[in-house]
Amino acid sequence: QVHLVESGGGVVQPGRSLRLSCQVSGFNLTKYAMSWVRHAPGKGLDWVAVLSYDGTKMFYANSVRGRFTSSRDNFKNTLYLQMNSLTTDDTAVYYCARTFTSNWTDALEIWGQGTLVTVSS
Amino acid sequence: QSVLTQPPSVSAAPGQKVTISCSGNNSNIGNNFVSWYQHLPGTGPKLLIYDNDKPHSGIFDRFSGSKSGTSATLDISRLQTGDEADYYCGTWDTSLSAAVFGGGTKLTVL
C-alpha cells in the first residue's frame, strides 16, 4: 500500500526556519518525482516545489524560491522541505504528493494528509 | 491571483449535472496535460482526472474531463451530496517552469 506521511509542522516565529519531512512507503522514491503543495486558510491549493525522480532537478514557486529547498534521502524513503526566512504568508497545511510517473510535469497521484505550519510571533 | 481561472462556486440539485471550467493560456493548458482534484476539508486532495480526460483508478464514471485549446472542463453527473467539496484544475506551466492550480471551485449540492 502506498502511503505518504508528513511531519515537522508547528508554530514558528517569522524569520525562523523549519524542516518538513514526508515519509513514504509502498513504492521506490527514486522512480517518481515528488512535489510539495500547500493550502493556506481560506485560500486555494498553492504549488510549492517539485524534485525530479533522480534528485537532480528542482523547481520552485516564485514565492518560495531562494528560501525553500527540497531534498530527499533514498535510504530513509523520506522527502524533505527545508523552509527558511519564514513569513506569515507561509502559514498553511503542507502536503507532499507523488507524481503519476517519473515526469515532474505529471499529475499528482498520491497525497499525504498534510502537516500544519503556523508562522506567528 | 491564480494562473488558471475557475468559477469560485457552482451548485446544483442531487441527480443533476454540473460543469466546472478552467481557463489558461498556451504556456500551460494549451501545451500541457490537465488534471483535476477533489479536496475535502482536513484531508489530502484526491486525483480525479489526469491527462485531460483519463479517470484515475477507482473514480466513478460520473466524473469526466475534457480539454479544448487553452480551456478544460470537469463534468460531474448524477450529483450526490457526498460530492460537495472544492475542485481544482492543475497543469504545468512551461514559461514559469512551475506547476499551477486554478483558484478552486466550491461545489454545493442543494
Side-chain angles (χ1 to χ4, degrees), chain B:
Chain B
Q1 186 125 1
S2 302
V3 173
L4 305 180
T5 302
Q6 296 181 234
S9 63
V10 294
S11 62
Q16 297 202 323
K17 172 184 170 182
V18 292
T19 296
I20 298 174
S21 61
C22 176
S23 178
N25 58 41
N26 284 321
S27 293
N28 41 66
I29 292 179
N31 283 286
N32 292 287
F33 288 117
V34 175
S35 50
W36 288 91
Y37 305 88
Q38 179 191 61
H39 191 202
L40 293 161
T43 69
K46 177 181 179 181
L47 176 64
L48 298 174
I49 302 289
Y50 68 99
D51 289 359
N52 303 331
D53 57 11
K54 296 180 175 59
H56 188 229
S57 173
I59 298 303
F60 298 114
D61 61 1
R62 297 188 298 108
F63 295 87
S64 63
S66 64
K67 185 183 104 169
S68 178
T70 59
S71 294
T73 59
L74 173 70
D75 289 328
I76 310 174
S77 60
R78 305 191 299 280
L79 277 171
Q80 302 174 359
T81 55
D83 295 332
E84 287 200 332
D86 295 321
Y87 291 85
Y88 295 88
C89 57
T91 188
W92 184 260
D93 191 298
T94 307
S95 295
L96 297 175
S97 291
V100 290
F101 289 104
T105 299
K106 184 176 183 59
L107 169 63
T108 301
V109 181
L110 304 168

Side-chain angles (χ1 to χ4, degrees), chain A residues 62-109:
Chain A
N62 287 337
S63 58
V64 307
R65 188 175 293 117
R67 300 188 299 124
F68 290 13
T69 303
S70 184
S71 63
R72 71 185 193 203
D73 185 327
N74 295 333
F75 294 104
K76 293 184 178 180
N77 291 323
T78 302
L79 179 75
Y80 301 104
L81 184 68
Q82 177 66 42
M83 305 186 295
N84 300 330
S85 302
L86 285 162
T87 73
T88 55
D89 288 342
D90 296 317
T91 293
V93 175
Y94 284 74
Y95 299 98
C96 62
R98 191 194 84 175
T99 52
F100 213 77
T101 68
S102 60
N103 187 344
W104 60 79
T105 68
D106 262 357
L108 300 175
E109 182 186 16

Side-chain angles (χ1 to χ4, degrees), chain A residues 29-42:
Chain A
L29 198 54
T30 65
K31 294 190 182 302
Y32 296 90
M34 297 292 295
S35 279
W36 290 95
V37 177
R38 63 187 179 183
H39 186 217

